[in-house]
Amino acid sequence: AQSVTQLGSHVSVSEGALVLLRCNYSSSVPPYLFWYVQYPNQGLQLLLKYTSAATLVKGINGFEAEFKKSETSFHLTKPSAHMSDAAEYFCAVSGYTSYDKVIFGPGTSLSVIP
Amino acid sequence: DGGITQSPKYLFRKEGQNVTLSCEQNLNHDAMYWYRQDPGQGLRLIYYSQIVNDFQKGDIAEGYSVSREKKESFPLTVTSAQKNPTAFYLCASSFEKDRVKSPLHFGNGTRLTVT
């Protein structure tokens, strides 16, 4: 069965500092991987997705993630944090067939300190 | 603009009452989903529907019911059998034929409080 872990339920960074949010997945075959962002009292919005076309994926708002099969990881990064990046971030995994459900990680809350 | 509309945004009910949460989409998506979100637990799938007049239980379906009479609508009823109904409920949709590549589109959620 597929699963997703996110190391660190809460991460704090200073404005302008590097953002690194960790995601590891468990799957017998390389899956599809996603990062979503959620602002307070709102739904989730897709940041980026990995679908095997390229291991380094660029998303919206300056975020990117790198798929590393050997480490079963899909960490999210941004070179310079902005105050508006403060939100909850979810990593998600899905298999290849229409029977595979999307499995979400528990989320990481990002705080940006001015 | 296309999107998913959930209503109401906030809902308060007394224990023992059934309550229905609305979800409407105009994205022409085939599949629709209901998730429950609790602090520190991520999103858990309640029910999903891949086609009109058909739906399947997710991981935590007990105490909930749904219907899919129209492609655009997927209402969720929280029944009195749900032991801990207070939560944030999210509706989502996607294209069925390319679901694994097509990202989920989410509504802005309904926060249900039962006292």
Side-chain angles (χ1 to χ4, degrees):
Chain A
Q2 294 175 330
S3 66
V4 179
T5 56
Q6 294 183 240
L7 185 62
S9 60
H10 187 87
V11 171
S12 291
V13 299
S14 298
E15 190 174 15
L18 171 71
V19 176
L20 171 60
L21 304 181
R22 300 178 187 275
C23 172
N24 289 88
Y25 66 92
S26 171
S27 176
S28 57
V29 295
Y32 293 125
L33 293 156
F34 309 85
W35 274 101
Y36 288 85
V37 61
Q38 183 182 33
Y39 298 101
N41 292 313
Q42 292 187 24
L44 279 68
Q45 176 185 359
L46 181 72
L47 270 179
L48 48 81
K49 61 181 179 180
Y50 167 75
T51 57
S52 76
T55 57
L56 183 62
V57 182
K58 294 188 183 298
I60 62 172
N61 301 338
F63 284 94
E64 63 181 34
E66 185 173 9
F67 172 71
K68 292 187 177 180
K69 182 179 177 180
S70 61
E71 299 177 6
T72 61
S73 69
F74 190 56
H75 301 332
L76 182 70
T77 61
K78 181 175 180 178
S80 177
H82 191 272
M83 296 298 293
S84 60
D85 295 327
E88 188 90 15
Y89 291 82
F90 293 93
C91 183
V93 62
S94 175
Y96 293 124
T97 75
S98 60
Y99 298 102
D100 292 309
K101 295 174 288 186
V102 177
I103 307 297
F104 286 87
T108 296
S109 177
L110 175 66
S111 297
V112 181
I113 304 166
Chain B
D1 289 338
I4 299 179
T5 301
Q6 289 188 244
S7 61
K9 189 168 181 64
Y10 299 95
L11 193 53
F12 298 88
R13 280 294 182 272
K14 296 287 189 183
E15 192 173 322
Q17 293 179 334
N18 291 355
V19 60
T20 297
L21 282 59
S22 170
C23 178
E24 303 276 336
Q25 56 99 359
N26 60 2
L27 299 166
N28 198 32
H29 283 170
D30 310 293
M32 297 186 73
Y33 312 81
W34 275 105
Y35 289 90
R36 171 180 171 140
Q37 186 176 19
D38 297 283
Q41 295 195 45
L43 277 67
R44 293 182 290 169
L45 183 64
I46 304 172
Y47 267 99
Y48 64 103
S49 168
Q50 295 171 312
I51 195 170
V52 174
N53 292 323
D54 188 38
F55 47 83
Q56 289 76 41
K57 293 181 179 180
D59 301 315
I60 56 165
E62 185 176 351
Y64 299 98
S65 66
V66 294
S67 63
R68 187 86 187 276
E69 298 177 0
K70 299 186 300 181
K71 186 176 184 178
E72 302 79 17
S73 179
F74 192 41
L76 173 74
T77 296
V78 184
T79 75
S80 57
Q82 167 51 231
K83 297 188 184 304
N84 186 19
T86 295
F88 191 51
Y89 291 88
L90 287 162
C91 180
S93 69
S94 69
F95 282 114
E96 171 56 23
K97 289 186 177 180
D98 200 10
R99 187 175 67 83
V100 291
K101 290 186 178 181
S102 168
L104 294 171
H105 291 255
F106 284 86
N108 280 329
T110 291
R111 189 168 297 280
L112 173 64
T113 302
V114 177
T115 58

